[in-house]
Amino acid sequence: MEKKPFVTKSQVEEIVKTYPTPFHLYDEKGIRENAKKVKEAFAWNPGFREYFAVKATPNPYILKILQEYDMGCDCSSYTELMLAKSCGFDGKHIMFSSNDTPAEEFAYADELGAIINLDDFTHIDFLEETIGHIPETISCRYNPGGVFELSNGIMDNPGDSKYGMTKDQLIEAFKILKDKGAKHFGVHAFLASNTVTNEYYPKLAGELFELIVELKEKTGCDIRFVNLSGGVGIPYTPDKEPNDIAVIGEGVHKKFDEILVPAGLGDVSIYTEMGRFMLGPYGCLVTKAIHEKHIYKEYIGVDACAANLMRPAIYGAYHHITVLGKENAPCDHVYDVTGSLCENCDKFAVDRKLPEIDMGDYLVIHDTGAHGFSMGYNYNGRLRSAELLLKEDGSVKMIRRAETPEDYFATFDCFDDIRITK
């Protein structure tokens, strides 16, 4: 099975007349269609809401699209909260899930009326001291410890994670928070990352549903929502089948009816905070081949680098590559596709079978719509690229301009004796 880009060679050739490579490109049609599918998959739950993980793609134009589908923002920092506020999200549509949280961030989240999701038992007193009260609606993050395993071999290790509270801490936290004035409660957990299986959310939901039944019995708290967090992944490699959100939603529905409805908790709302599933496949990095090198291996140098997409460099993550205009050509060449950073890990692909690449060819690096641009950086003085939106009518809109040297040097302005000039 081959991954097909959502943009064609002719479209890219037209785009680069205005916006030079490299750039991140997002597919508005794909984003909207996926948002509708997510809403439909959980329509059985009247209170359902997706709180998009802002860290995945922190762009106001993207957030405003999702806002049209009544989605909210999952924020984890002061600036992400600022972004959500600036886009017009009210407090009910902002989930603040942070860890090792500075006091000013808790204060700002409370000022916005955001739902605060406490990561640790000790944060109860810290929050109260910071804002002078405990909010009426509060959430707590749960960590079951041990190893989380699915039948298809996917594993993760919550016991080695810095996030969340133990069950005993969670029970005690609910009691204390209730005594301090909290009236409505939620539970949150994240147990596995980028799962490409329809099994993950239903299994997680089952564990959390059983947990809140126990919490209800032992604390008497009014539990209003369960946040399944993220973890629903995408198939980065072309040999995997994508998750089916309709099947996932129905799997959660089944657990809901089996566990919560008999316990008198049939009015609990389901929240999610997906990033990768919401945006990953609907973004790509478009770059141009500018050099070739023939030594002990064959190299293709492109005008993007790990500063534009760092996942392959730091994780060894696979991102599929399409050479535009050569989609049907045989993949009979083996290349390392590299960027220009002074780091040997600055490679988008290693020993990748691709069609013969000529200088000037455009390469689409797939699945960069989440954790792509957002993880960019300025090592070697490299500048982050533009972000473009391929609109439903085929036109292109710049939704973030490319950085300039002036941006890079702007923070030196405090030094009167130094002026950077061209």
Side-chain angles (χ1 to χ4, degrees):
M1 186 170 61
E2 179 63 22
K3 281 180 174 282
K4 294 183 179 180
F6 56 80
V7 65
T8 64
K9 180 182 178 182
S10 60
Q11 285 177 301
V12 166
E13 288 173 338
E14 191 62 32
I15 293 169
V16 298
K17 292 177 182 178
T18 306
Y19 307 108
T21 54
F23 51 78
H24 282 272
L25 183 67
Y26 303 97
D27 176 21
E28 181 182 17
K29 181 181 179 183
I31 294 170
R32 290 184 178 278
E33 289 177 351
N34 192 50
K36 291 175 185 175
K37 288 178 182 177
V38 170
K39 290 274 289 183
E40 291 168 1
F42 290 92
W44 54 268
N45 184 261
F48 171 76
R49 178 167 291 135
E50 156 66 16
Y51 287 84
F52 174 68
V54 174
K55 60 181 174 288
T57 319
N59 189 293
Y61 290 90
I62 300 297
L63 297 183
K64 295 290 278 185
I65 290 173
L66 298 178
Q67 190 177 44
E68 294 181 31
Y69 300 90
D70 193 40
M71 296 187 175
C73 293
D74 170 64
C75 300
S76 57
S77 70
Y78 199 103
T79 46
E80 289 182 356
L81 287 168
M82 290 176 64
L83 180 58
K85 176 180 181 292
S86 298
C87 289
F89 290 91
D90 61 25
K92 292 181 180 179
H93 286 77
I94 302 174
M95 182 77 62
F96 183 57
S97 295
S98 180
N99 70 95
D100 195 21
T101 308
E104 61 269 20
E105 298 192 1
F106 273 140
Y108 189 48
D110 181 63
E111 179 185 327
L112 298 181
I115 302 169
I116 294 175
N117 184 33
L118 292 178
D119 179 69
D120 187 64
F121 184 81
T122 64
H123 291 183
I124 298 172
D125 290 342
F126 186 82
L127 176 65
E128 186 176 35
E129 291 167 6
T130 298
I131 65 175
H133 67 281
I134 292 296
E136 287 194 358
T137 298
I138 195 81
S139 178
C140 291
R141 185 166 185 167
Y142 171 58
N143 184 332
V147 174
F148 182 83
E149 186 173 1
L150 296 171
S151 62
N152 58 7
I154 291 177
M155 296 177 64
D156 217 322
N157 187 1
D160 195 38
S161 166
K162 69 174 182 174
Y163 306 110
M165 308 180 197
T166 67
K167 182 191 285 189
D168 289 343
Q169 288 176 332
L170 194 65
I171 293 169
E172 187 64 19
F174 269 43
K175 292 177 180 177
I176 292 171
L177 288 164
K178 184 180 180 183
D179 288 342
K180 290 180 178 292
K183 292 182 170 57
H184 312 301
F185 292 80
V187 178
H188 168 287
F190 179 92
L191 303 186
S193 180
N194 193 40
T195 61
V196 188
T197 168
N198 297 327
E199 184 185 348
Y200 171 59
Y201 253 12
K203 181 171 181 180
L204 169 63
E207 293 191 15
L208 288 182
F209 294 164
E210 290 174 355
L211 172 67
I212 69 168
V213 170
E214 183 177 349
L215 283 167
K216 176 74 173 179
E217 292 172 350
K218 292 183 176 179
T219 69
C221 290
D222 177 25
I223 301 172
R224 292 289 181 90
F225 63 86
V226 173
N227 189 337
L228 300 179
S229 186
V232 178
I234 61 173
Y236 285 98
T237 56
D239 59 323
K240 292 182 179 177
E241 287 291 329
N243 284 320
D244 186 331
I245 197 65
V247 173
I248 291 171
E250 191 50 42
V252 175
H253 191 182
K254 183 179 179 182
K255 293 289 186 181
F256 190 94
D257 287 348
E258 288 176 356
I259 300 168
L260 292 188
V261 172
L265 291 165
D267 59 349
V268 167
S269 296
I270 303 298
Y271 294 163
T272 58
E273 51 180 55
M274 297 179 284
R276 202 184 315 260
F277 183 81
M278 294 303 303
L279 260 295
Y282 312 109
C284 63
L285 176 61
V286 181
T287 184
K288 182 168 67 175
I290 58 173
H291 287 290
E292 56 186 326
K293 186 170 185 174
H294 316 283
I295 49 172
Y296 308 105
K297 301 180 75 172
E298 294 294 301
Y299 294 95
I300 293 295
V302 296
D303 58 4
C305 65
N308 305 111
L309 176 65
M310 69 188 298
R311 295 185 74 254
I314 65 170
Y315 302 140
Y318 181 97
H319 281 264
H320 200 65
I321 295 175
T322 296
V323 183
L324 290 179
K326 298 181 178 179
E327 290 87 345
N328 298 318
C331 294
D332 53 4
H333 286 62
V334 178
Y335 297 112
D336 282 13
V337 179
T338 75
S340 57
L341 294 187
C342 298
E343 295 290 340
N344 195 45
C345 65
D346 182 20
K347 298 178 179 180
F348 295 113
V350 175
D351 296 331
R352 186 73 61 86
K353 291 183 177 180
L354 292 166
E356 182 176 9
I357 297 175
D358 298 304
M359 296 305 92
D361 279 349
Y362 293 107
L363 280 63
V364 164
I365 302 177
H366 291 252
D367 299 318
T368 70
H371 310 289
F373 180 94
S374 66
M375 295 177 72
Y377 55 105
N378 288 125
Y379 181 61
N380 270 173
R382 294 297 172 187
L383 305 174
R384 280 171 286 219
S385 67
E387 290 182 291
L388 310 177
L389 182 66
L390 178 63
K391 297 180 70 65
E392 289 184 290
D393 63 6
S395 64
V396 171
K397 179 180 180 65
M398 180 171 65
I399 59 175
R400 191 194 302 264
R401 66 166 173 81
E403 288 181 337
T404 66
E406 289 75 20
D407 296 320
Y408 181 77
F409 292 121
T411 50
F412 291 124
D413 281 354
C414 55
F415 301 107
D416 293 335
D417 57 335
I418 297 175
R419 286 292 176 268
I420 308 295
T421 59
K422 197 169 182 179

